[in-house]
Amino acid sequence: MILAIETSCDDTCAAVVGHDGVIRSSVRSSQDALHSAFGGVVPEVASRRHLELAVPAVERALAEAGVALAQIDRVAVTQGPGLIGALLVGVATAKAIAFARKLPLVPVDHLSGHVAALRLAPLRLAAPFACLLVSGGHSLLIDVERYDRLHVLGGTLDDAAGEAFDKGARLLGLPFPGGPQLEALARSGDATRFPFPEVLRDRPLELSFAGVKTSLLYRLRDLGVGAEPARADLAASFQAAVVGQLASRASSLLAETGRDVLAVVGGVAANGRLRDELAGVCARSGARLALLPPSLCVDNAAMIAAVALDREGISGRELAELDAFARSPLRARGIGGQVS
Ligand code: KG4
Ligand code: ZN
């Protein structure tokens, strides 16, 4: 049994996953209510809350799995990227457990974790496949040759897709976290009422959301106090612009890689309109769409355990010296980068 801990942003997560890839428990203590008063995640507030929630989250994950700490034979933890203070709480907790129980510890890249969620039961998606990773902090187009060989073929030039949803929602006066709220408001809106400009038409593997966000700002300003009845139409039109761009890039990714499976992971993969449009892209490309339940799309610790399934882990001095990192090698290496 693997015990995994994930604290890269504002959710305190712990999970128990069997070596057979079956999730025995996956606990997610959300800090949304705490941060909504500030309209976004406050790093220092998140770290302090992780300190309070980390041990109870581990205890709950073990209890829900019906597993004793003595039955755990490997510990996994998100090493980065993310908020450094938040990550350090998870890393310190995992190190303490590994030391006390004399267990190997597997440090995990958060982005590899999002992709590895696809390995878990019942989906058990086999590589190779093309993957769209869309979360609050990242938007990447990845060719997954193997789970330990990810090739980044494209990404965003500015905001991540989830960040665009969150900022758009904030402009529309919706509470944090904005993505799901914006989707809910858009449900009653007319997505064709406010066309947004198409971006980067000649760069099919790159994304950019800054222009869409600015267009929304100007539309709201132009509508002034009259914006109120048009808010749902604006939300629907904005969502259509963001999702439309993701769908066109997903289509380019399939063409570029020649893969016959498209997977979508990260928090934004929970978006219903995105799921529908990607189904259309796959139907047109003759590819299969691989989707996860929303609980495995958003940040969770089961995906961190999924990376550790075939890794030995570190111990001794290496374990003692393990540190967190704020930026991912996947991202730092940029487009064309590879992580294994
Ligand atoms: O993967 P995740 O939980 O955390 C990061 O690693 O960033 O993704 C969170 C992001 C947030 O920006 C949130 O607004 C967005 O995913 N999100 C959504 C939806 N659910 C979550 N965006 C659009 N529609 C949704 N239904
Ligand atoms: Zn994430």
Side-chain angles (χ1 to χ4, degrees), residues 115 118 124-131 142-151 254 257-263 288 290:
V115 176
L118 296 155
R124 298 190 192 277
L125 181 66
F129 54 89
C131 184
I142 307 172
D143 182 31
V144 182
E145 183 190 344
R146 295 183 350 194
Y147 277 100
D148 59 358
R149 209 169 286 166
L150 312 181
H151 306 273
L254 279 173
T257 58
R259 304 292 185 205
D260 59 0
V261 177
L262 173 72
R288 182 163 69 85

Side-chain angles (χ1 to χ4, degrees), residues 110 114 135-137 162-163 165-166 177-180 183 266-268 270-271 297-299:
H110 180 82
H114 273 297
S135 72
E163 195 179 355
F165 267 108
D166 293 338
E183 181 180 16
V268 184
N271 185 278
C297 290
V298 296
D299 288 349

Side-chain angles (χ1 to χ4, degrees), residues 204-275:
L205 291 175
E206 284 175 1
L207 295 146
S208 167
F209 298 107
V212 190
K213 195 180 59 194
T214 310
S215 296
L216 176 65
L217 178 70
Y218 289 156
R219 293 247 188 233
L220 277 165
R221 193 181 290 169
D222 295 346
L223 288 164
V225 283
E228 192 46 45
R231 273 173 75 245
D233 295 341
L234 269 172
S237 304
F238 177 81
Q239 177 175 256
V242 173
V243 166
Q245 199 185 138
L246 292 173
S248 94
R249 273 42 182 189
S251 174
S252 307
L253 180 66
L254 279 173
E256 176 76 20
T257 58
R259 304 292 185 205
D260 59 0
V261 177
L262 173 72
V264 50
V265 296
V268 184
N271 185 278
R273 180 161 177 139
L274 178 63
R275 287 172 171 243

Side-chain angles (χ1 to χ4, degrees), residues 13 25 29 46 60 68 71 75 84 89 102 110-112 116 119 154 196 225 229 231 239 246 258 272 282 315 332:
C13 311
S25 67
S29 300
R60 228 175 84 210
Q71 289 171 267
V75 182
I84 196 72
V89 177
K102 299 190 170 48
H110 180 82
L111 302 176
S112 304
R119 301 176 75 178
F196 281 76
V225 283
R231 273 173 75 245
Q239 177 175 256
L246 292 173
C282 285
S315 56

